Amino acid sequence: MKDFVALINAVEITNKTNAKIQALVDYFSKASPKDKLWCIAIFTGKRPSRPVKSTLMKQWCMALINLPEWLFLESYSTVGDLGETLALLHPEPTHSIEKSLSQWMQDIIALKPKTEAEKKAYVLDAWSGLQTQERLIFNKLIGGSFRIGVSKKTLVNALEKLSGIDANQLMHSIIGNWDIDSITFEALINGTHINYDNSKPYPFCLAYALEKPLDELGAVNTWQIEYKWDGIRGQIVKRNGEIYIWSRGEELVTQQFPELVHAMQQFKNDFVIDGEILALKNNSVLLFNDLQKRLNRKNVSKKLLEEVPVGFYAYDILEYNGKDIRHKPLEERRLSLEALFKTTTALAHIKLSQCIQTDHWEALQAIRAASRAINSEGLMLKQKASPYHVGRKKGDWWKWKVDPLTIDAVMIYAQKGSGRRSSKYTDYTFAVKNGDALVTVAKAYSGLTDKEITEVSRFVTKNAIEKFGPVRTVKPELVFEIAFEGIALSNRHKSGVALRFPRIKRWRKDKTVEDIDTIASVKSLIKAQ
């Protein structure tokens, strides 16, 4: 457990990916096989369900140290994390408990069916036998809310560095179905429970944002021009009757999109195709806000399948009937992709991406400007002679997005950041006018310089009105221009709208709260998209 605590401390104090990877490698190099498995399970969300309610842990802590609830809540609002508050409030340990991570996890699993009295006795004994940092990790493990700044990709990169095994194979291995009680660490990372040859994807070819005038790109007929869609970039792999769907983040998402799996079974040939997973209804692309309802779900209900049907726009083909064709020019790969689509009957939600035909660069300006009306982000420009590169190669693929939408809004809430920003207010909530009141429309935490963040933090400290846990209500005086990629109606938000990728464009020191947008003007942008 001490080694696991040291690992958590190491990855929490840095925002550098390489440092996190090295900390993980160091841990896996010395941890026991069972502890390695539990570490992977914890970081990939395969944790057991919570055996003890957090309200009970709070009550036990207050009773133990004879603390009134108002003082506990004040402490909680200052710290901002329940598990850390409980760890800090408990007195120094009276004894020492030495258990491995796997032993603690087995205890937590065994705790689930026990009585409240038995759970209380176990938790209090654990608190009294652990140092503060160990107690914090124990609280997070038992509370079921273990969140740490390690992505699955970072974990996989660490395992690749440790073992030399291909990162994509490792991703398939650890994301796939496996049981911690019936697999060894070596078997897991070597993928003995999967057939990786059938599922292996290719690295994605990526584009740069267009950074030169169109007339410097050469003849327009040497480029394949497509719409840029706002969905989930994905590779669909079909080999030997098996179908796998990979996201650009190198995660297997097959189970999330059963209708795509069914559709791909209609093709007789084997292939690997690259494209965009989109919410499609009535032959139209829906907003990303709709697609979000389908993401990260282990089980997709029949109702959700009907409410948010998903489709796929195919951009490219990387492998055809077992042959890697990435080296061929895009123009030839497009012909192969079209040939593939001719081998099956029409599928309403599986489409070839549209190639936009034009004889002049000037005509694209209007096409790009109108693309938001069909929920597109703009245009993609791809050299017809280009191979399918690994990663980015400047000059072959360009993305030419529409300009972002913007509104003026006032900051009304602020919260401190994490890591190196934990001492400053960096997370902000913004509002617009709704009659004489203000209604929140967005949260944002990027776009300001370090100097501006320091200045905003000073304002929050001096002008905080109320405290709600770690959140501070502030006087509505600071106005900011907020940029975002799209907007949609939303029943989940009090304002009735949801903004796509909101971020701070600039601090409008030249404006006051009287100058900010109204909710009506914000909603009018929906029609203007």
Side-chain angles (χ1 to χ4, degrees):
M1 183 66 159
K2 284 181 168 58
D3 288 339
F4 187 68
V5 172
L7 167 64
I8 301 303
N9 289 340
V11 298
E12 283 282 74
I13 63 173
T14 181
N15 60 357
K16 295 182 179 179
T17 301
N18 287 338
K20 293 181 179 183
I21 289 173
Q22 189 57 53
L24 285 160
V25 170
D26 292 343
Y27 175 80
F28 284 123
S29 298
K30 59 188 176 184
S32 70
K34 205 68 176 179
D35 281 5
K36 293 175 187 177
L37 284 174
W38 271 115
C39 179
I40 293 172
I42 290 167
F43 284 176
T44 56
K46 291 182 171 66
R47 301 183 299 277
S49 59
R50 182 172 59 186
V52 181
K53 293 181 179 179
S54 56
T55 52
L56 289 176
M57 295 174 69
K58 168 188 159 185
Q59 292 170 11
W60 297 339
C61 178
M62 290 190 298
L64 179 69
I65 61 176
N66 194 28
L67 191 73
E69 186 173 19
W70 71 266
L71 187 51
F72 180 91
L73 294 175
E74 185 69 19
S75 302
Y76 180 24
S77 69
T78 300
V79 175
D81 180 90
L82 180 60
E84 187 174 0
T85 304
L86 294 170
L88 291 170
L89 287 174
H90 196 280
E92 289 297 309
T94 58
H95 57 286
S96 179
I97 299 177
E98 297 291 339
K99 289 182 183 178
S100 66
L101 174 62
S102 57
Q103 287 174 318
W104 281 111
M105 296 308 300
Q106 290 301 323
D107 284 354
I108 289 171
I109 292 170
L111 200 62
K112 180 77 173 178
K114 294 189 176 182
T115 66
E116 184 177 318
E118 290 172 320
K119 292 177 180 180
K120 179 180 180 180
Y122 175 81
V123 170
L124 293 183
D125 181 66
W127 282 348
S128 297
L130 295 171
Q131 297 293 329
T132 303
Q133 279 300 107
E134 296 171 327
R135 201 181 302 135
L136 167 60
I137 301 304
F138 168 78
N139 289 342
K140 289 187 173 293
L141 292 174
I142 202 170
S145 59
F146 197 96
R147 297 176 183 174
I148 203 72
V150 174
S151 67
K152 291 173 185 174
K153 189 172 182 179
T154 299
L155 175 63
V156 162
N157 288 340
L159 291 170
E160 181 184 38
K161 186 174 181 180
L162 177 78
S163 65
I165 298 171
D166 179 75
N168 286 324
Q169 177 176 336
L170 286 164
M171 180 65 77
H172 190 176
S173 297
I174 67 174
I175 298 302
N177 293 323
W178 54 277
D179 179 53
I180 202 165
D181 293 321
S182 59
I183 196 169
T184 65
F185 174 74
E186 292 299 325
L188 175 64
I189 65 171
N190 281 289
T192 58
H193 60 303
I194 63 168
N195 185 341
Y196 181 61
D197 288 341
N198 281 348
S199 69
K200 183 178 180 180
Y202 293 101
F204 281 87
C205 180
L206 305 174
Y208 279 94
L210 185 63
E211 55 186 33
K212 57 173 66 178
L214 292 175
D215 56 13
E216 292 185 14
L217 297 180
V220 68
N221 61 6
T222 63
W223 293 84
Q224 179 172 299
I225 304 166
E226 305 163 272
Y227 284 108
K228 186 183 187 306
W229 296 106
D230 186 17
I232 298 295
R233 181 90 177 273
Q235 264 182 48
I236 299 183
V237 178
K238 181 178 182 290
R239 296 191 186 107
N240 301 318
E242 297 183 21
I243 295 167
Y244 300 89
I245 305 174
W246 292 84
S247 73
R248 183 187 142 183
E250 298 177 350
E251 292 190 25
L252 267 175
V253 294
T254 315
Q255 293 180 341
Q256 297 180 38
F257 307 110
E259 63 266 71
L260 297 187
V261 175
H262 176 73
M264 294 303 152
Q265 289 168 341
Q266 311 307 307
F267 292 93
K268 295 180 181 179
N269 307 69
D270 282 356
F271 53 79
V272 179
I273 54 177
D274 175 15
E276 199 85 9
I277 300 169
L278 297 159
L280 294 175
K281 203 165 190 177
N282 299 326
N283 213 31
S284 297
V285 177
L286 304 183
L287 295 169
F288 186 84
N289 188 54
D290 297 297
L291 181 62
Q292 276 187 311
K293 300 172 186 176
R294 289 290 305 272
L295 303 183
N296 302 315
R297 290 180 178 269
K298 293 182 180 178
N299 298 301
V300 185
S301 67
K302 182 179 179 181
K303 181 181 178 183
L304 191 56
L305 284 170
E306 293 172 351
E307 289 180 352
V308 189
V310 163
F312 188 79
Y313 276 19
Y315 296 147
D316 212 330
I317 184 165
L318 322 183
E319 179 182 301
Y320 197 27
N321 286 330
K323 293 183 179 179
D324 181 353
I325 61 172
R326 291 176 298 160
H327 63 285
K328 292 187 176 182
L330 172 61
E331 196 167 27
E332 288 187 32
R333 298 197 308 275
R334 176 71 187 198
L335 293 175
S336 296
L337 185 62
E338 291 173 355
L340 171 66
F341 271 69
K342 291 176 181 177
T343 63
T344 187
T345 55
L347 296 166
H349 58 301
I350 309 296
K351 302 175 182 290
L352 281 166
S353 66
Q354 176 188 350
C355 289
I356 299 170
Q357 304 298 329
T358 180
D359 295 326
H360 305 285
W361 285 119
E362 292 78 11
L364 287 184
Q365 297 282 1
I367 295 173
R368 168 180 170 263
S371 62
R372 187 177 268 129
I374 57 172
N375 293 332
S376 166
E377 290 187 306
L379 300 178
M380 292 293 302
L381 313 177
K382 302 176 182 177
Q383 274 279 6
K384 290 181 179 180
S386 64
Y388 191 92
H389 296 289
V390 173
R392 287 185 173 87
K393 183 180 183 300
K394 186 169 289 190
D396 278 358
W397 285 22
W398 299 105
K399 52 185 176 183
W400 190 29
K401 297 175 68 173
V402 292
D403 296 328
L405 299 168
T406 61
I407 59 172
D408 289 327
V410 66
M411 183 181 72
I412 61 171
Y413 301 126
Q415 183 175 343
K416 288 184 177 179
S418 58
R420 67 184 181 88
R421 289 184 161 191
S422 60
S423 63
K424 295 180 180 179
Y425 291 95
T426 61
D427 299 6
Y428 316 118
T429 301
F430 300 95
V432 294
K433 292 179 185 178
N434 184 18
D436 294 330
L438 294 173
V439 60
T440 59
V441 290
K443 292 184 178 180
Y445 50 88
S446 63
L448 295 182
T449 65
D450 288 343
K451 182 179 179 180
E452 287 174 326
I453 289 172
T454 299
E455 194 174 345
V456 171
S457 293
R458 290 197 191 104
F459 175 86
V460 173
T461 302
K462 294 179 180 178
N463 295 277
I465 301 170
E466 295 177 292
K467 293 192 293 185
F468 299 95
V471 178
R472 299 292 182 268
T473 303
V474 296
K475 292 180 181 178
E477 295 181 5
L478 303 188
V479 175
F480 297 85
E481 184 176 3
I482 308 300
F484 48 97
E485 298 304 317
I487 181 172
L489 294 174
S490 172
N491 294 328
R492 296 186 299 110
H493 296 79
K494 187 176 180 181
S495 64
V497 297
L499 307 187
R500 172 78 165 140
F501 289 144
R503 67 269 190 193
I504 301 168
K505 186 175 181 181
R506 55 176 169 158
W507 186 351
R508 296 304 305 264
K509 293 185 178 181
D510 57 322
K511 293 191 175 185
T512 70
V513 68
E514 298 301 321
D515 302 313
I516 65 174
D517 277 281
T518 66
I519 190 61
S521 65
V522 172
K523 288 183 177 179
S524 69
L525 294 175
I526 297 175
K527 295 180 180 179
Q529 291 186 97

